[in-house]
Amino acid sequence: MKIKDNIYILGIESSCDETSVSVVKNGRDVLSNVISSQIDIHKLYGGVVPEIASRKHIENIDIIYKESLKQAKLSIEDICAIAVTYGPGLVGSLLVGLSFAKGLSISSKIPFIGINHIEGHIASNYISNRDLEPPFISLIVSGGHTNLVKVESYNSFKIYGKTHDDACGEAYDKIARVLGFEYPGGPKLEKAALNGTQNKFSFPRGEVRGSIYDFTYSGLKSHVINVIHNIKQKNNESIDNQTISDISLEFQNSIIDSLVNRTISLSKELNINKVAICGGVSANTAIKTALKNECDKNNIKFYFPENIYCTDNAAMIASAGYYEFINGKRSKLDLNADANLEFTDK
Ligand code: KG4
Ligand code: ZN
């Protein structure tokens, strides 16, 4: 490895149904972020089929890697380290990215660093907000995770809230499916809610007894599914578009309350006046608007990633990798993919 003024990290992300490779300079400047989404294949099955996902990653990863270097106008010799997601996610999918990273590391004599996917989502805000520095509160809302975290430094986190059952995006996708939307239904449900009328329905706000910052969506999900089934039963198995919109709106209101209240409370409790949302669900405008309004009322600065960095992408993994790299972290070749990799205080 040559001594370089700038630190270029190659990021690799393949934890679910996006194959992505990116080159990021000094943790914040994205030189390339190539993403191949498999959504069109998986929507035929109503969700991600793990076996198909790993096969598609294998077919795509080398092409995406080459395209990523090409777009960055760099060669592999310019790269200082490879950052790769090693969990959590689908094990077959993770293994494709991790094995590719290891092979590249050996053949190019470049160190590699295993990254927790959730820490990648947190780093997505460094890309979109150049002034954002820890400490801040991070609200991570995706298809697999819902966490409320104090980002103490670039490399240390304290977790205050987690979900006890479904993740926020998972709840969106499940309700969307029952309402008849294609996978992934989150964005379609958000769109339907725009035509909804307030107060046509009243859905519960899930509370976890004894842990004010934890989340629960299973009660809300069961309640809404019951309401939909009852309506369909009375109407020859059909449900009209206005009712779909009204249900979508109240479901989203319940989610918004759960996220906004906890985030503002934690920010006040810890006296940290910076809040950053991230993860696939942070593409949701209604959630961002509600959180921003409450942040403004409480003199809290609100940050969010551009949409392309909300859903899974390798740029966020490269950014997280940069901060691990300059902190001295390197992974060994025996690092394994970990489908259930925990996100813990560190
Ligand atoms: O971060 P991500 O790409 O994958 C995981 O790490 O899980 O998040 C995908 C999730 C899906 O559940 C999708 O429905 C949800 O993000 N999502 C949304 C919106 N856009 C994506 N949920 C609600 N509203 C949206 N606009
Ligand atoms: Zn994700």
Side-chain angles (χ1 to χ4, degrees), residues 28 122 125-126 129-139 148-154 262-277 291 295-296 298-304:
R28 305 250 180 180
I122 292 172
N125 269 302
Y126 298 138
N129 304 285
R130 302 191 70 88
D131 61 324
L132 177 63
E133 284 180 15
F136 60 91
I137 304 294
S138 180
L139 172 65
L148 193 52
V149 176
K150 178 186 175 194
V151 181
E152 303 191 86
S153 74
Y154 287 106
R262 285 166 177 78
T263 308
I264 299 293
S265 297
L266 183 63
S267 164
K268 283 177 159 175
E269 186 193 317
L270 302 182
N271 204 13
I272 293 180
N273 66 349
K274 286 186 270 180
V275 159
I277 192 172
L291 192 50
C295 282
D296 286 351
N298 290 281
N299 285 324
I300 299 166
K301 197 152 183 227
F302 177 62
Y303 299 86
F304 58 93

mmCIF file of all heavy atoms in Angstrom, residues 28 122 125-126 129-139 148-154 262-277 291 295-296 298-304:
data_model
loop_
_atom_site.group_PDB
_atom_site.id
_atom_site.type_symbol
_atom_site.label_atom_id
_atom_site.label_comp_id
_atom_site.label_asym_id
_atom_site.label_seq_id
_atom_site.Cartn_x
_atom_site.Cartn_y
_atom_site.Cartn_z
ATOM 1 N N ARG A 28 -16.305 10.820 3.608
ATOM 2 C CA ARG A 28 -17.465 11.687 3.323
ATOM 3 C C ARG A 28 -17.741 11.908 1.832
ATOM 4 O O ARG A 28 -18.866 12.235 1.464
ATOM 5 C CB ARG A 28 -17.251 13.060 3.972
ATOM 6 C CG ARG A 28 -16.961 13.002 5.472
ATOM 7 C CD ARG A 28 -18.090 13.541 6.280
ATOM 8 N NE ARG A 28 -17.813 13.475 7.707
ATOM 9 C CZ ARG A 28 -18.652 13.886 8.655
ATOM 10 N NH1 ARG A 28 -19.806 14.420 8.328
ATOM 11 N NH2 ARG A 28 -18.361 13.764 9.916
ATOM 12 N N ILE A 122 -25.853 4.238 10.298
ATOM 13 C CA ILE A 122 -25.550 5.448 11.092
ATOM 14 C C ILE A 122 -24.616 6.366 10.302
ATOM 15 O O ILE A 122 -24.809 7.582 10.246
ATOM 16 C CB ILE A 122 -24.922 5.060 12.455
ATOM 17 C CG1 ILE A 122 -25.967 4.352 13.330
ATOM 18 C CG2 ILE A 122 -24.360 6.292 13.178
ATOM 19 C CD1 ILE A 122 -25.431 3.759 14.623
ATOM 20 N N ASN A 125 -25.363 9.297 7.409
ATOM 21 C CA ASN A 125 -25.568 10.730 7.659
ATOM 22 C C ASN A 125 -24.283 11.544 7.541
ATOM 23 O O ASN A 125 -24.339 12.758 7.332
ATOM 24 C CB ASN A 125 -26.220 10.945 9.031
ATOM 25 C CG ASN A 125 -27.728 10.968 8.915
ATOM 26 O OD1 ASN A 125 -28.278 11.792 8.183
ATOM 27 N ND2 ASN A 125 -28.406 10.057 9.587
ATOM 28 N N TYR A 126 -23.125 10.903 7.691
ATOM 29 C CA TYR A 126 -21.861 11.643 7.509
ATOM 30 C C TYR A 126 -21.684 12.044 6.048
ATOM 31 O O TYR A 126 -21.054 13.043 5.734
ATOM 32 C CB TYR A 126 -20.662 10.784 7.941
ATOM 33 C CG TYR A 126 -20.679 10.401 9.402
ATOM 34 C CD1 TYR A 126 -20.343 9.113 9.805
ATOM 35 C CD2 TYR A 126 -21.027 11.329 10.379
ATOM 36 C CE1 TYR A 126 -20.346 8.755 11.139
ATOM 37 C CE2 TYR A 126 -21.047 10.970 11.716
ATOM 38 C CZ TYR A 126 -20.701 9.682 12.093
ATOM 39 O OH TYR A 126 -20.721 9.331 13.410
ATOM 40 N N ASN A 129 -24.428 14.912 5.356
ATOM 41 C CA ASN A 129 -24.331 16.099 6.223
ATOM 42 C C ASN A 129 -22.880 16.293 6.646
ATOM 43 O O ASN A 129 -22.435 15.717 7.646
ATOM 44 C CB ASN A 129 -25.204 15.912 7.463
ATOM 45 C CG ASN A 129 -26.645 15.610 7.099
ATOM 46 O OD1 ASN A 129 -27.378 16.498 6.685
ATOM 47 N ND2 ASN A 129 -27.033 14.353 7.244
ATOM 48 N N ARG A 130 -22.169 17.135 5.900
ATOM 49 C CA ARG A 130 -20.718 17.243 6.127
ATOM 50 C C ARG A 130 -20.387 17.820 7.491
ATOM 51 O O ARG A 130 -19.297 17.606 8.016
ATOM 52 C CB ARG A 130 -20.089 18.102 5.031
ATOM 53 C CG ARG A 130 -20.344 17.564 3.646
ATOM 54 C CD ARG A 130 -19.498 18.290 2.638
ATOM 55 N NE ARG A 130 -18.101 17.931 2.787
ATOM 56 C CZ ARG A 130 -17.542 16.886 2.184
ATOM 57 N NH1 ARG A 130 -18.249 16.120 1.399
ATOM 58 N NH2 ARG A 130 -16.268 16.621 2.356
ATOM 59 N N ASP A 131 -21.341 18.575 8.073
ATOM 60 C CA ASP A 131 -21.057 19.196 9.376
ATOM 61 C C ASP A 131 -21.399 18.282 10.555
ATOM 62 O O ASP A 131 -21.106 18.615 11.700
ATOM 63 C CB ASP A 131 -21.851 20.506 9.510
ATOM 64 C CG ASP A 131 -23.359 20.273 9.440
ATOM 65 O OD1 ASP A 131 -23.791 19.385 8.660
ATOM 66 O OD2 ASP A 131 -24.104 20.955 10.165
ATOM 67 N N LEU A 132 -21.992 17.140 10.288
ATOM 68 C CA LEU A 132 -22.430 16.281 11.406
ATOM 69 C C LEU A 132 -21.241 15.567 12.046
ATOM 70 O O LEU A 132 -20.497 14.843 11.383
ATOM 71 C CB LEU A 132 -23.453 15.241 10.920
ATOM 72 C CG LEU A 132 -23.922 14.243 11.987
ATOM 73 C CD1 LEU A 132 -24.665 14.954 13.134
ATOM 74 C CD2 LEU A 132 -24.813 13.153 11.379
ATOM 75 N N GLU A 133 -21.110 15.778 13.340
ATOM 76 C CA GLU A 133 -20.073 15.080 14.116
ATOM 77 C C GLU A 133 -20.684 14.573 15.403
ATOM 78 O O GLU A 133 -21.599 15.188 15.940
ATOM 79 C CB GLU A 133 -18.930 16.050 14.458
ATOM 80 C CG GLU A 133 -18.033 16.339 13.281
ATOM 81 C CD GLU A 133 -16.917 17.296 13.639
ATOM 82 O OE1 GLU A 133 -16.660 17.507 14.833
ATOM 83 O OE2 GLU A 133 -16.313 17.826 12.696
ATOM 84 N N PRO A 134 -20.193 13.452 15.940
ATOM 85 C CA PRO A 134 -20.689 12.976 17.227
ATOM 86 C C PRO A 134 -20.327 13.993 18.313
ATOM 87 O O PRO A 134 -19.374 14.750 18.130
ATOM 88 C CB PRO A 134 -19.921 11.663 17.441
ATOM 89 C CG PRO A 134 -19.383 11.291 16.103
ATOM 90 C CD PRO A 134 -19.159 12.584 15.372
ATOM 91 N N PRO A 135 -21.040 14.026 19.434
ATOM 92 C CA PRO A 135 -22.142 13.120 19.763
ATOM 93 C C PRO A 135 -23.468 13.569 19.137
ATOM 94 O O PRO A 135 -23.705 14.756 18.976
ATOM 95 C CB PRO A 135 -22.213 13.228 21.294
ATOM 96 C CG PRO A 135 -21.716 14.600 21.597
ATOM 97 C CD PRO A 135 -20.704 14.943 20.543
ATOM 98 N N PHE A 136 -24.298 12.598 18.804
ATOM 99 C CA PHE A 136 -25.669 12.875 18.363
ATOM 100 C C PHE A 136 -26.538 11.648 18.638
ATOM 101 O O PHE A 136 -26.014 10.567 18.950
ATOM 102 C CB PHE A 136 -25.710 13.279 16.879
ATOM 103 C CG PHE A 136 -25.183 12.247 15.912
ATOM 104 C CD1 PHE A 136 -26.023 11.298 15.342
ATOM 105 C CD2 PHE A 136 -23.838 12.228 15.550
ATOM 106 C CE1 PHE A 136 -25.530 10.364 14.431
ATOM 107 C CE2 PHE A 136 -23.345 11.301 14.645
ATOM 108 C CZ PHE A 136 -24.196 10.360 14.084
ATOM 109 N N ILE A 137 -27.842 11.848 18.537
ATOM 110 C CA ILE A 137 -28.787 10.739 18.705
ATOM 111 C C ILE A 137 -29.092 10.195 17.313
ATOM 112 O O ILE A 137 -29.422 10.956 16.404
ATOM 113 C CB ILE A 137 -30.109 11.218 19.356
ATOM 114 C CG1 ILE A 137 -29.854 11.913 20.697
ATOM 115 C CG2 ILE A 137 -31.108 10.064 19.499
ATOM 116 C CD1 ILE A 137 -29.302 11.035 21.780
ATOM 117 N N SER A 138 -28.990 8.879 17.155
ATOM 118 C CA SER A 138 -29.317 8.279 15.867
ATOM 119 C C SER A 138 -30.561 7.403 16.010
ATOM 120 O O SER A 138 -30.625 6.555 16.907
ATOM 121 C CB SER A 138 -28.130 7.440 15.384
ATOM 122 O OG SER A 138 -28.436 6.867 14.136
ATOM 123 N N LEU A 139 -31.522 7.644 15.136
ATOM 124 C CA LEU A 139 -32.725 6.806 15.082
ATOM 125 C C LEU A 139 -32.610 5.954 13.819
ATOM 126 O O LEU A 139 -32.650 6.481 12.709
ATOM 127 C CB LEU A 139 -33.983 7.679 15.032
ATOM 128 C CG LEU A 139 -35.300 6.943 14.779
ATOM 129 C CD1 LEU A 139 -35.647 6.000 15.936
ATOM 130 C CD2 LEU A 139 -36.451 7.930 14.565
ATOM 131 N N LEU A 148 -32.611 3.122 18.820
ATOM 132 C CA LEU A 148 -32.397 4.497 19.251
ATOM 133 C C LEU A 148 -31.054 4.500 19.989
ATOM 134 O O LEU A 148 -30.889 3.794 20.984
ATOM 135 C CB LEU A 148 -33.550 4.924 20.173
ATOM 136 C CG LEU A 148 -33.694 6.388 20.490
ATOM 137 C CD1 LEU A 148 -33.722 7.266 19.250
ATOM 138 C CD2 LEU A 148 -34.961 6.606 21.304
ATOM 139 N N VAL A 149 -30.127 5.284 19.464
ATOM 140 C CA VAL A 149 -28.727 5.133 19.870
ATOM 141 C C VAL A 149 -28.089 6.485 20.153
ATOM 142 O O VAL A 149 -28.349 7.461 19.445
ATOM 143 C CB VAL A 149 -27.948 4.461 18.697
ATOM 144 C CG1 VAL A 149 -26.463 4.355 19.001
ATOM 145 C CG2 VAL A 149 -28.530 3.090 18.385
ATOM 146 N N LYS A 150 -27.228 6.514 21.167
ATOM 147 C CA LYS A 150 -26.360 7.686 21.338
ATOM 148 C C LYS A 150 -25.041 7.376 20.635
ATOM 149 O O LYS A 150 -24.365 6.400 20.983
ATOM 150 C CB LYS A 150 -26.101 7.961 22.815
ATOM 151 C CG LYS A 150 -25.175 9.135 23.037
ATOM 152 C CD LYS A 150 -24.812 9.293 24.509
ATOM 153 C CE LYS A 150 -23.795 10.407 24.675
ATOM 154 N NZ LYS A 150 -23.193 10.368 26.020
ATOM 155 N N VAL A 151 -24.722 8.164 19.608
ATOM 156 C CA VAL A 151 -23.440 8.009 18.926
ATOM 157 C C VAL A 151 -22.457 8.870 19.712
ATOM 158 O O VAL A 151 -22.483 10.096 19.635
ATOM 159 C CB VAL A 151 -23.536 8.455 17.447
ATOM 160 C CG1 VAL A 151 -22.201 8.275 16.739
ATOM 161 C CG2 VAL A 151 -24.631 7.678 16.729
ATOM 162 N N GLU A 152 -21.619 8.224 20.522
ATOM 163 C CA GLU A 152 -20.745 8.974 21.438
ATOM 164 C C GLU A 152 -19.528 9.515 20.705
ATOM 165 O O GLU A 152 -19.067 10.616 20.982
ATOM 166 C CB GLU A 152 -20.338 8.079 22.603
ATOM 167 C CG GLU A 152 -21.579 7.552 23.306
ATOM 168 C CD GLU A 152 -21.296 6.874 24.633
ATOM 169 O OE1 GLU A 152 -21.223 7.581 25.647
ATOM 170 O OE2 GLU A 152 -21.186 5.649 24.646
ATOM 171 N N SER A 153 -18.998 8.686 19.809
ATOM 172 C CA SER A 153 -17.889 9.116 18.959
ATOM 173 C C SER A 153 -18.062 8.341 17.646
ATOM 174 O O SER A 153 -18.990 7.552 17.515
ATOM 175 C CB SER A 153 -16.547 8.775 19.601
ATOM 176 O OG SER A 153 -16.333 7.381 19.486
ATOM 177 N N TYR A 154 -17.125 8.513 16.696
ATOM 178 C CA TYR A 154 -17.255 7.784 15.435
ATOM 179 C C TYR A 154 -17.193 6.265 15.640
ATOM 180 O O TYR A 154 -17.675 5.510 14.822
ATOM 181 C CB TYR A 154 -16.147 8.209 14.460
ATOM 182 C CG TYR A 154 -16.364 9.589 13.899
ATOM 183 C CD1 TYR A 154 -15.586 10.671 14.336
ATOM 184 C CD2 TYR A 154 -17.340 9.836 12.946
ATOM 185 C CE1 TYR A 154 -15.787 11.949 13.829
ATOM 186 C CE2 TYR A 154 -17.548 11.098 12.432
ATOM 187 C CZ TYR A 154 -16.771 12.152 12.874
ATOM 188 O OH TYR A 154 -16.978 13.413 12.373
ATOM 189 N N ARG A 262 -40.107 9.027 21.453
ATOM 190 C CA ARG A 262 -38.926 8.435 22.088
ATOM 191 C C ARG A 262 -37.655 9.216 21.737
ATOM 192 O O ARG A 262 -36.791 9.437 22.586
ATOM 193 C CB ARG A 262 -38.775 6.969 21.653
ATOM 194 C CG ARG A 262 -39.769 6.036 22.326
ATOM 195 C CD ARG A 262 -39.796 4.688 21.615
ATOM 196 N NE ARG A 262 -40.683 3.722 22.239
ATOM 197 C CZ ARG A 262 -42.006 3.699 22.112
ATOM 198 N NH1 ARG A 262 -42.606 4.628 21.391
ATOM 199 N NH2 ARG A 262 -42.724 2.771 22.714
ATOM 200 N N THR A 263 -37.556 9.607 20.482
ATOM 201 C CA THR A 263 -36.329 10.294 20.042
ATOM 202 C C THR A 263 -36.169 11.639 20.740
ATOM 203 O O THR A 263 -35.085 11.970 21.237
ATOM 204 C CB THR A 263 -36.356 10.496 18.505
ATOM 205 O OG1 THR A 263 -36.625 9.240 17.895
ATOM 206 C CG2 THR A 263 -35.037 11.023 17.991
ATOM 207 N N ILE A 264 -37.259 12.396 20.809
ATOM 208 C CA ILE A 264 -37.180 13.720 21.457
ATOM 209 C C ILE A 264 -36.892 13.550 22.953
ATOM 210 O O ILE A 264 -36.072 14.268 23.533
ATOM 211 C CB ILE A 264 -38.495 14.524 21.231
ATOM 212 C CG1 ILE A 264 -38.736 14.751 19.724
ATOM 213 C CG2 ILE A 264 -38.471 15.850 21.995
ATOM 214 C CD1 ILE A 264 -37.751 15.659 19.020
ATOM 215 N N SER A 265 -37.556 12.569 23.584
ATOM 216 C CA SER A 265 -37.326 12.345 25.032
ATOM 217 C C SER A 265 -35.872 12.012 25.307
ATOM 218 O O SER A 265 -35.275 12.535 26.248
ATOM 219 C CB SER A 265 -38.160 11.174 25.564
ATOM 220 O OG SER A 265 -39.496 11.453 25.441
ATOM 221 N N LEU A 266 -35.282 11.150 24.476
ATOM 222 C CA LEU A 266 -33.889 10.757 24.724
ATOM 223 C C LEU A 266 -32.950 11.944 24.503
ATOM 224 O O LEU A 266 -32.021 12.166 25.291
ATOM 225 C CB LEU A 266 -33.482 9.589 23.808
ATOM 226 C CG LEU A 266 -32.061 9.073 24.065
ATOM 227 C CD1 LEU A 266 -31.920 8.495 25.477
ATOM 228 C CD2 LEU A 266 -31.668 8.008 23.042
ATOM 229 N N SER A 267 -33.229 12.704 23.460
ATOM 230 C CA SER A 267 -32.400 13.865 23.180
ATOM 231 C C SER A 267 -32.415 14.837 24.358
ATOM 232 O O SER A 267 -31.371 15.365 24.768
ATOM 233 C CB SER A 267 -32.925 14.527 21.898
ATOM 234 O OG SER A 267 -32.424 15.796 21.762
ATOM 235 N N LYS A 268 -33.606 15.013 24.949
ATOM 236 C CA LYS A 268 -33.716 15.931 26.096
ATOM 237 C C LYS A 268 -33.040 15.330 27.324
ATOM 238 O O LYS A 268 -32.330 16.021 28.048
ATOM 239 C CB LYS A 268 -35.184 16.195 26.409
ATOM 240 C CG LYS A 268 -35.843 17.176 25.440
ATOM 241 C CD LYS A 268 -37.271 17.275 25.837
ATOM 242 C CE LYS A 268 -37.983 18.492 25.369
ATOM 243 N NZ LYS A 268 -39.409 18.407 25.717
ATOM 244 N N GLU A 269 -33.269 14.035 27.539
ATOM 245 C CA GLU A 269 -32.689 13.398 28.732
ATOM 246 C C GLU A 269 -31.164 13.493 28.710
ATOM 247 O O GLU A 269 -30.527 13.755 29.726
ATOM 248 C CB GLU A 269 -33.116 11.922 28.804
ATOM 249 C CG GLU A 269 -32.646 11.263 30.110
ATOM 250 C CD GLU A 269 -32.755 9.750 30.098
ATOM 251 O OE1 GLU A 269 -33.774 9.229 29.627
ATOM 252 O OE2 GLU A 269 -31.798 9.099 30.571
ATOM 253 N N LEU A 270 -30.583 13.277 27.542
ATOM 254 C CA LEU A 270 -29.115 13.269 27.442
ATOM 255 C C LEU A 270 -28.546 14.648 27.131
ATOM 256 O O LEU A 270 -27.332 14.820 27.069
ATOM 257 C CB LEU A 270 -28.655 12.272 26.366
ATOM 258 C CG LEU A 270 -29.083 10.816 26.555
ATOM 259 C CD1 LEU A 270 -28.517 9.952 25.426
ATOM 260 C CD2 LEU A 270 -28.612 10.270 27.902
ATOM 261 N N ASN A 271 -29.477 15.608 26.916
ATOM 262 C CA ASN A 271 -29.049 16.968 26.595
ATOM 263 C C ASN A 271 -28.147 17.016 25.355
ATOM 264 O O ASN A 271 -27.109 17.662 25.347
ATOM 265 C CB ASN A 271 -28.337 17.559 27.823
ATOM 266 C CG ASN A 271 -28.394 19.061 27.812
ATOM 267 O OD1 ASN A 271 -29.155 19.646 27.023
ATOM 268 N ND2 ASN A 271 -27.585 19.694 28.628
ATOM 269 N N ILE A 272 -28.568 16.282 24.345
ATOM 270 C CA ILE A 272 -27.835 16.275 23.066
ATOM 271 C C ILE A 272 -28.761 16.884 22.016
ATOM 272 O O ILE A 272 -29.841 16.348 21.757
ATOM 273 C CB ILE A 272 -27.457 14.833 22.671
ATOM 274 C CG1 ILE A 272 -26.434 14.296 23.670
ATOM 275 C CG2 ILE A 272 -26.911 14.778 21.243
ATOM 276 C CD1 ILE A 272 -25.974 12.893 23.386
ATOM 277 N N ASN A 273 -28.336 17.998 21.445
ATOM 278 C CA ASN A 273 -29.267 18.720 20.566
ATOM 279 C C ASN A 273 -29.056 18.425 19.079
ATOM 280 O O ASN A 273 -29.246 19.275 18.227
ATOM 281 C CB ASN A 273 -29.211 20.225 20.848
ATOM 282 C CG ASN A 273 -27.861 20.791 20.474
ATOM 283 O OD1 ASN A 273 -26.919 20.040 20.209
ATOM 284 N ND2 ASN A 273 -27.759 22.110 20.435
ATOM 285 N N LYS A 274 -28.658 17.181 18.780
ATOM 286 C CA LYS A 274 -28.545 16.752 17.385
ATOM 287 C C LYS A 274 -29.206 15.391 17.230
ATOM 288 O O LYS A 274 -28.884 14.467 17.990
ATOM 289 C CB LYS A 274 -27.079 16.644 16.965
ATOM 290 C CG LYS A 274 -26.404 17.990 16.761
ATOM 291 C CD LYS A 274 -25.005 17.817 16.206
ATOM 292 C CE LYS A 274 -23.999 17.705 17.329
ATOM 293 N NZ LYS A 274 -22.624 17.534 16.882
ATOM 294 N N VAL A 275 -30.118 15.285 16.256
ATOM 295 C CA VAL A 275 -30.821 14.027 15.995
ATOM 296 C C VAL A 275 -30.650 13.686 14.522
ATOM 297 O O VAL A 275 -30.853 14.538 13.654
ATOM 298 C CB VAL A 275 -32.323 14.155 16.349
ATOM 299 C CG1 VAL A 275 -33.152 13.098 15.644
ATOM 300 C CG2 VAL A 275 -32.537 14.067 17.863
ATOM 301 N N ALA A 276 -30.259 12.437 14.244
ATOM 302 C CA ALA A 276 -30.096 12.007 12.838
ATOM 303 C C ALA A 276 -30.879 10.715 12.618
ATOM 304 O O ALA A 276 -30.659 9.729 13.330
ATOM 305 C CB ALA A 276 -28.617 11.784 12.535
ATOM 306 N N ILE A 277 -31.770 10.731 11.660
ATOM 307 C CA ILE A 277 -32.537 9.526 11.314
ATOM 308 C C ILE A 277 -31.809 8.813 10.169
ATOM 309 O O ILE A 277 -31.131 9.458 9.359
ATOM 310 C CB ILE A 277 -33.993 9.893 10.925
ATOM 311 C CG1 ILE A 277 -34.881 8.641 10.864
ATOM 312 C CG2 ILE A 277 -34.034 10.656 9.606
ATOM 313 C CD1 ILE A 277 -36.367 8.937 10.670
ATOM 314 N N LEU A 291 -40.736 14.509 12.627
ATOM 315 C CA LEU A 291 -39.584 14.555 13.529
ATOM 316 C C LEU A 291 -38.904 15.923 13.463
ATOM 317 O O LEU A 291 -38.505 16.488 14.496
ATOM 318 C CB LEU A 291 -38.608 13.429 13.149
ATOM 319 C CG LEU A 291 -37.488 13.113 14.138
ATOM 320 C CD1 LEU A 291 -37.992 12.911 15.566
ATOM 321 C CD2 LEU A 291 -36.736 11.854 13.689
ATOM 322 N N CYS A 295 -38.282 18.516 16.492
ATOM 323 C CA CYS A 295 -36.898 18.948 16.750
ATOM 324 C C CYS A 295 -36.830 20.473 16.769
ATOM 325 O O CYS A 295 -36.238 21.067 17.679
ATOM 326 C CB CYS A 295 -35.947 18.397 15.687
ATOM 327 S SG CYS A 295 -35.530 16.667 15.941
ATOM 328 N N ASP A 296 -37.479 21.108 15.778
ATOM 329 C CA ASP A 296 -37.464 22.578 15.714
ATOM 330 C C ASP A 296 -38.045 23.187 16.995
ATOM 331 O O ASP A 296 -37.491 24.130 17.555
ATOM 332 C CB ASP A 296 -38.291 23.071 14.503
ATOM 333 C CG ASP A 296 -37.546 22.817 13.192
ATOM 334 O OD1 ASP A 296 -36.358 22.430 13.257
ATOM 335 O OD2 ASP A 296 -38.161 22.970 12.111
ATOM 336 N N ASN A 298 -37.999 22.052 19.862
ATOM 337 C CA ASN A 298 -37.145 21.798 21.031
ATOM 338 C C ASN A 298 -35.688 22.223 20.817
ATOM 339 O O ASN A 298 -34.803 21.805 21.568
ATOM 340 C CB ASN A 298 -37.200 20.301 21.380
ATOM 341 C CG ASN A 298 -38.547 19.909 21.944
ATOM 342 O OD1 ASN A 298 -38.827 20.158 23.114
ATOM 343 N ND2 ASN A 298 -39.401 19.321 21.117
ATOM 344 N N ASN A 299 -35.479 23.068 19.774
ATOM 345 C CA ASN A 299 -34.110 23.533 19.475
ATOM 346 C C ASN A 299 -33.104 22.413 19.261
ATOM 347 O O ASN A 299 -31.969 22.455 19.734
ATOM 348 C CB ASN A 299 -33.587 24.456 20.592
ATOM 349 C CG ASN A 299 -34.229 25.804 20.509
ATOM 350 O OD1 ASN A 299 -34.485 26.294 19.402
ATOM 351 N ND2 ASN A 299 -34.541 26.369 21.657
ATOM 352 N N ILE A 300 -33.557 21.383 18.562
ATOM 353 C CA ILE A 300 -32.684 20.253 18.236
ATOM 354 C C ILE A 300 -32.421 20.305 16.738
ATOM 355 O O ILE A 300 -33.353 20.511 15.952
ATOM 356 C CB ILE A 300 -33.370 18.907 18.604
ATOM 357 C CG1 ILE A 300 -33.673 18.847 20.109
ATOM 358 C CG2 ILE A 300 -32.515 17.722 18.169
ATOM 359 C CD1 ILE A 300 -34.637 17.735 20.500
ATOM 360 N N LYS A 301 -31.167 20.135 16.342
ATOM 361 C CA LYS A 301 -30.855 20.138 14.905
ATOM 362 C C LYS A 301 -31.157 18.753 14.340
ATOM 363 O O LYS A 301 -30.768 17.740 14.919
ATOM 364 C CB LYS A 301 -29.386 20.516 14.693
ATOM 365 C CG LYS A 301 -29.126 20.936 13.292
ATOM 366 C CD LYS A 301 -27.962 21.915 13.139
ATOM 367 C CE LYS A 301 -27.890 22.274 11.664
ATOM 368 N NZ LYS A 301 -26.607 22.219 11.078
ATOM 369 N N PHE A 302 -31.863 18.744 13.209
ATOM 370 C CA PHE A 302 -32.319 17.470 12.639
ATOM 371 C C PHE A 302 -31.547 17.147 11.360
ATOM 372 O O PHE A 302 -31.411 17.998 10.474
ATOM 373 C CB PHE A 302 -33.822 17.574 12.331
ATOM 374 C CG PHE A 302 -34.382 16.348 11.674
ATOM 375 C CD1 PHE A 302 -34.360 15.124 12.322
ATOM 376 C CD2 PHE A 302 -34.927 16.413 10.387
ATOM 377 C CE1 PHE A 302 -34.869 13.983 11.706
ATOM 378 C CE2 PHE A 302 -35.434 15.282 9.770
ATOM 379 C CZ PHE A 302 -35.397 14.062 10.441
ATOM 380 N N TYR A 303 -31.055 15.910 11.257
ATOM 381 C CA TYR A 303 -30.283 15.466 10.093
ATOM 382 C C TYR A 303 -30.932 14.227 9.475
ATOM 383 O O TYR A 303 -31.481 13.393 10.183
ATOM 384 C CB TYR A 303 -28.858 15.078 10.504
ATOM 385 C CG TYR A 303 -28.052 16.190 11.111
ATOM 386 C CD1 TYR A 303 -28.138 16.468 12.477
ATOM 387 C CD2 TYR A 303 -27.189 16.961 10.333
ATOM 388 C CE1 TYR A 303 -27.391 17.482 13.047
ATOM 389 C CE2 TYR A 303 -26.431 17.978 10.896
ATOM 390 C CZ TYR A 303 -26.537 18.230 12.249
ATOM 391 O OH TYR A 303 -25.796 19.233 12.811
ATOM 392 N N PHE A 304 -30.815 14.110 8.162
ATOM 393 C CA PHE A 304 -31.298 12.908 7.484
ATOM 394 C C PHE A 304 -30.448 12.673 6.244
ATOM 395 O O PHE A 304 -29.880 13.612 5.689
ATOM 396 C CB PHE A 304 -32.786 13.030 7.107
ATOM 397 C CG PHE A 304 -33.096 14.205 6.233
ATOM 398 C CD1 PHE A 304 -33.110 14.077 4.846
ATOM 399 C CD2 PHE A 304 -33.357 15.453 6.782
ATOM 400 C CE1 PHE A 304 -33.376 15.170 4.025
ATOM 401 C CE2 PHE A 304 -33.618 16.556 5.966
ATOM 402 C CZ PHE A 304 -33.631 16.412 4.596
#
